[in-house]
């Protein structure tokens, strides 16, 4: 049994490269054998990628998050395209829209988002999408601009009705540690809807490290008063999902592994 963490900000867990490598090592002990490393900025990517590059099972996405719209004018297209030539790049992202923190103007966020959707299409890669209080605009844009390789709705935060809308498109629904929260009724309802719609092959899981810690790990310790999520915690999300679906964890783990490999165009072995 093995697990695939489809979204982890390794560089945000620890700045120290030695600690970053320890994160990978600890994850593999828990059978988390593949991880997609995510960065919000190209600056962060340039720091983290060289550290993680030598390690098998670690893949990378390249892109610019909505927060980077405040530095509008940078030549993102040229730089992202340069990075897409590097080994083990499997997606463009994360990108998307964030209306909660109001990074710059909405129009600028949308422009930056569309630019990266076009890059994903050009390079035949899936796109990893950040959505915070911007579901309608993201849906409307994807209706016309979704890359042929699909889109991953990372840290899914909408409801079952939104998922039903999106099923007509080539999208994946990626659930993080907040799926395990007792009051996350919108996420629980979405999972049950996807099961009823025979769309479990669209589900991925992620840790969104160091955020969205699974419920079972949300206990302060002397070392970490506010615990950080790490890829080694991913199996707790799979176990919770298995209990929701009333399936064996081995069956769910196998399903998630196959889904993740398909989403990122990777071999299953």
């Amino acid at each position: 049994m093995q697990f695939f963490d489809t979204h982890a900000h390794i560089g945000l867990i620890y700045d120290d490269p030695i600690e970053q490598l320890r994160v990978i090592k600890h994850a593999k002990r828990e059978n988390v054998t593949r991880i997609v490393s995510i960065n919000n900025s190209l600056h962060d990517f340039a720091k983290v990628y060289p550290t993680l590059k030598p390690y098998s099972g670690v893949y990378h996405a390249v892109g610019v998050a909505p927060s980077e719209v405040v530095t509008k004018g940078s030549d993102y297209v040229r730089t992202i395209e340069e990075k897409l030539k590097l080994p083990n790049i499997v997606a463009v992202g994360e990108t998307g829209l964030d209306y909660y923190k109001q990074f710059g103007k909405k129009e600028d966020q949308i422009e930056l988002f569309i630019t990266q959707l076009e890059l994903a299409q050009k390079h035949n890669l899936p796109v990893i999408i950040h959505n915070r209080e911007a579901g309608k605009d993201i849906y409307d844009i994807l209706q016309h601009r979704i890359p042929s390789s699909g889109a991953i709705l990372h840290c899914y935060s909408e409801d079952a009705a939104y998922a039903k809308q999106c099923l007509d498109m080539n999208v994946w629904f990626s659930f993080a540690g907040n799926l395990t929260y007792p009051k996350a009724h919108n996420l629980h309802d979405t999972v049950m809807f996807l099961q009823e719609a025979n769309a479990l092959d669209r589900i991925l899981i992620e840790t969104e490290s160091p955020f969205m810690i699974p419920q079972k790990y949300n206990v302060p310790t002397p070392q970490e008063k506010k615990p950080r999520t790490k890829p080694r915690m991913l199996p707790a999300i799979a176990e919770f999902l298995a209990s929701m679906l009333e399936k064996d964890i081995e069956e769910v783990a196998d399903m998630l592994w196959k889904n993740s490999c398909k989403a990122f165009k990777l071999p299953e072995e």
Side-chain angles (χ1 to χ4, degrees):
M1 187 166 59
Q2 54 190 342
F3 301 94
F4 193 139
D5 187 349
T6 63
H7 196 107
H9 297 268
I10 306 297
L12 294 182
I13 304 173
Y14 295 113
D15 290 329
D16 183 354
I18 294 176
E19 292 294 339
Q20 291 173 7
L21 298 180
R22 189 171 285 124
V23 165
I24 304 302
K25 183 178 180 180
H26 290 172
K28 290 188 175 183
R29 287 180 184 169
E30 300 299 325
N31 296 320
V32 182
T33 57
R34 287 183 177 175
I35 300 170
V36 177
S37 171
I38 307 292
N39 296 279
N40 284 350
S41 72
L42 295 172
H43 172 75
D44 292 340
F45 177 87
K47 292 194 303 180
V48 175
Y49 179 84
T51 300
L52 302 182
K53 179 182 174 183
Y55 288 84
S56 64
V58 179
Y59 301 89
H60 305 267
V62 181
V64 176
S67 55
E68 294 301 292
V69 77
V70 295
T71 58
K72 191 174 184 292
S74 301
D75 190 356
Y76 289 128
V77 173
R78 179 182 61 82
T79 307
I80 291 173
E81 287 201 293
E82 286 177 356
K83 305 300 184 186
L84 289 175
K85 299 174 184 177
L86 295 170
N88 292 328
I89 303 297
V90 295
V92 172
E94 67 180 274
T95 181
L97 302 175
D98 192 322
Y99 295 164
Y100 176 74
K101 291 194 175 181
Q102 300 179 343
F103 297 113
K105 297 179 180 178
K106 285 187 179 182
E107 294 79 9
D108 291 342
Q109 282 198 39
I110 290 171
E111 179 183 349
L112 188 61
F113 178 36
I114 289 175
T115 295
Q116 292 176 89
L117 290 173
E118 291 171 347
L119 281 174
Q121 176 64 29
K122 178 179 177 181
H123 292 275
N124 194 30
L125 290 170
V127 63
I128 298 172
I129 296 178
H130 171 104
N131 168 20
R132 198 162 187 196
E133 298 189 5
K136 183 181 185 305
D137 282 355
I138 285 175
Y139 175 80
D140 290 344
I141 291 167
L142 288 180
Q143 280 280 290
H144 303 285
R145 297 179 180 272
I146 187 170
S148 56
S149 292
I152 296 161
L153 303 180
H154 117 80
C155 196
Y156 189 78
S157 60
E158 297 286 345
D159 57 15
Y162 191 86
K164 184 176 182 179
Q165 280 186 300
C166 291
L167 274 182
D168 289 337
M169 298 187 288
N170 183 19
V171 300
W172 306 82
F173 305 90
S174 185
F175 295 95
N178 54 341
L179 178 68
T180 69
Y181 299 170
K183 294 183 179 180
H185 303 301
N186 61 318
L187 305 184
H188 304 159
D189 290 347
T190 299
V191 167
M192 301 317 295
F193 161 73
L194 292 173
Q195 183 179 43
E196 292 166 6
N198 295 315
L200 293 181
D201 59 346
R202 302 280 199 98
I203 292 180
L204 311 177
I205 59 171
E206 61 176 88
T207 55
E208 171 69 321
S209 301
F211 312 110
M212 298 293 180
I213 192 161
Q215 184 73 18
K216 70 178 287 187
Y217 292 106
N218 195 15
V219 180
T221 68
Q223 294 77 25
E224 292 183 341
K225 293 185 178 179
K226 186 177 181 181
R228 286 170 287 189
T229 310
K230 303 177 183 70
R232 67 175 178 82
M233 300 174 181
L234 186 72
I237 304 171
E239 290 164 4
F240 185 88
L241 180 63
S243 69
M244 286 189 64
L245 299 174
E246 298 183 341
K247 296 179 181 293
D248 292 337
I249 181 59
E250 291 83 3
E251 179 184 355
V252 170
D254 183 62
M255 175 192 76
L256 293 169
W257 180 264
K258 290 177 178 177
N259 292 354
S260 302
C261 293
K262 185 176 180 180
F264 291 106
K265 299 182 180 178
L266 293 170
E268 292 181 13
E269 297 183 359

